[in-house]
Amino acid sequence: MVTVDDVRSLALALPRTEEHLIRDRVKFRIGRIVYLALSRDETELGFAFPKEERAALVASEPEKFSLPGAGDMRYHWVHARMAALDAGELEELVTDAWRMCVPAKVARAHLGDPDGGLPPAPGLDRLRAAAEVFAAFPGVDRSWLALVADTAPGLDLSGAGHRTALHRWLNAWGCRIRYPREGEPDPLGTGLGAWWDRHTLPGTPLAALTDRDIARLAAAYGDLAALPLGRRTLGPTAAAKALFALRPRTVMPWDAAIAARLHGGRDAQAFDRHLRTGRAWARAALAESGLDEDALTAELGRPGLPLAKVLDEYLYVTLSHSSGTPTPAPAQAPAPR
């Protein structure tokens, strides 16, 4: 649980912040823009947050977050229960709210631009063009739709059937993970079950991921990539695709060409940076379009698919496919990912 003093300490350490008492409520603002406001009884914290992403935030943790009142729905605003927040979460919420209200150069100077140097967002025209190319590959969505149907309402690795379905899907995308013969041990199935027990994955949409969410996903990715499968490990491409299959609205996957050309590596630190890239690109696409995620992917020509996948398809078309990466038979998929 955090207190008003915790909020005050964090907020007043941020440049240009002023504290005011307005109608018996403690508020923190930049000029005339309020970015934090405590309820009169100090049990709730209102904070600046992108309004196109707040429904997903509230849905992901309804015991912690709630929508503002009807009069404030037009603003970039959401509420959190103080009793449900820990110190790390509070710091992230306060800092992100502040960043929405100060010039970018002020935020960069104070925070050291933790996401600085990320590849620039492609823009809607380039996303639309790449989606058209990708969608033209024969059978491109067949294996994904089969996985979704076989694991409805969602992939859950506590079940052996779902682990087998994921194995089939990974191999359909060129991962070449050996199937055990009858009576043989199943290292992938056993390893996936143990890994699933070790990690709790956030389900927040890509655009709404927090730094803490990204750190958790990167740690889970590193553990999964190192999963032993006899003489080999699961590896970075299969690990990224498995995470996407588990959290399709959350994780933008990669393949070897994408990882190397964008980030120069495929370890957990590089995957952390990859997710930060995806988050920045998703936010830019949503802001440029003014649409929610489902409407945006439909407008881009890929209805029913998550934005994380559309962004991955853009990277495949512009980096992997264009670089001449060897591809399997068209009926499987455009390339090993």
Side-chain angles (χ1 to χ4, degrees):
M1 178 177 177
V2 297
T3 68
V4 64
D5 287 335
D6 296 324
V7 177
R8 178 178 290 113
S9 176
L10 290 167
L12 293 180
L14 297 170
R16 304 191 182 187
T17 296
E18 298 177 349
E19 180 179 349
H20 296 269
L21 187 64
I22 303 172
R23 298 191 182 95
D24 297 323
R25 295 179 61 192
V26 175
K27 298 186 179 185
F28 299 89
R29 68 190 195 189
I30 307 294
R32 298 185 62 82
I33 302 174
V34 175
Y35 72 93
L36 298 172
L38 287 141
S39 60
R40 287 185 175 85
D41 62 5
E42 298 179 357
T43 61
E44 285 196 345
L45 175 67
F47 57 96
F49 190 84
K51 60 183 178 181
E52 65 272 10
E53 300 166 16
R54 64 186 173 196
L57 177 70
V58 172
S60 68
E61 295 186 273
E63 74 286 352
K64 184 178 297 183
F65 300 108
S66 60
L67 296 173
D72 290 334
M73 285 293 286
R74 66 185 185 277
Y75 300 118
H76 295 282
W77 200 253
V78 75
H79 291 165
R81 291 179 56 243
M82 296 279 281
L85 296 174
D86 63 32
E89 290 173 317
L90 178 66
E91 181 176 6
E92 193 164 337
L93 293 177
V94 169
T95 303
D96 286 349
W98 171 81
R99 290 180 71 172
M100 290 182 65
C101 302
V102 294
K105 64 180 181 181
V106 174
R108 286 196 298 268
H110 182 70
L111 301 174
D113 194 13
D115 287 342
L118 292 181
L124 296 184
D125 288 343
R126 296 179 70 185
L127 289 178
R128 190 177 296 106
E132 183 177 351
V133 172
F134 196 90
F137 290 119
V140 69
D141 292 325
R142 185 183 307 151
S143 63
W144 172 249
L145 294 176
L147 178 67
V148 170
D150 289 345
T151 58
L155 188 59
D156 181 351
L157 296 185
S158 62
H162 282 211
R163 296 195 293 268
T164 299
L166 178 60
H167 190 164
R168 285 197 304 267
W169 182 72
L170 290 173
N171 280 352
W173 282 88
C175 292
R176 299 182 180 89
I177 303 166
R178 182 178 177 273
Y179 295 109
R181 295 188 177 93
E182 186 175 355
E184 286 186 339
D186 180 7
L188 178 63
T190 302
L192 286 175
W195 174 85
W196 185 246
D197 289 339
R198 291 194 297 270
H199 296 278
T200 301
L201 305 179
T204 309
L206 179 61
L209 282 176
T210 66
D211 289 347
R212 176 172 293 195
D213 290 335
I214 289 175
R216 287 165 58 194
L217 288 165
Y221 160 83
D223 191 18
L224 187 57
L227 195 72
L229 302 178
R231 296 180 180 179
R232 56 172 285 193
T233 61
L234 181 61
T237 295
K241 288 204 69 66
L243 279 176
F244 164 75
L246 288 160
R247 295 291 185 268
R249 287 186 175 269
T250 304
V251 175
M252 182 175 74
W254 64 14
D255 62 16
I258 292 168
R261 295 182 66 176
L262 277 188
H263 310 296
R266 295 195 286 171
D267 59 10
Q269 184 176 2
F271 195 67
D272 181 293
R273 182 173 173 80
H274 188 63
L275 292 178
R276 290 175 183 273
T277 299
R279 178 178 65 180
W281 288 9
R283 289 175 175 177
L286 290 166
E288 183 180 351
S289 69
L291 303 172
D292 64 24
E293 180 171 332
D294 291 337
L296 173 57
T297 57
E299 195 276 334
L300 292 173
R302 299 293 278 144
L305 295 177
L307 182 55
K309 188 173 192 306
V310 175
L311 293 171
D312 173 54
E313 293 172 359
Y314 163 78
L315 286 172
Y316 173 77
V317 168
T318 57
L319 296 183
S320 304
H321 185 63
S322 64
S323 68
T325 302
T327 61
Q332 289 184 308
R337 307 302 306 284

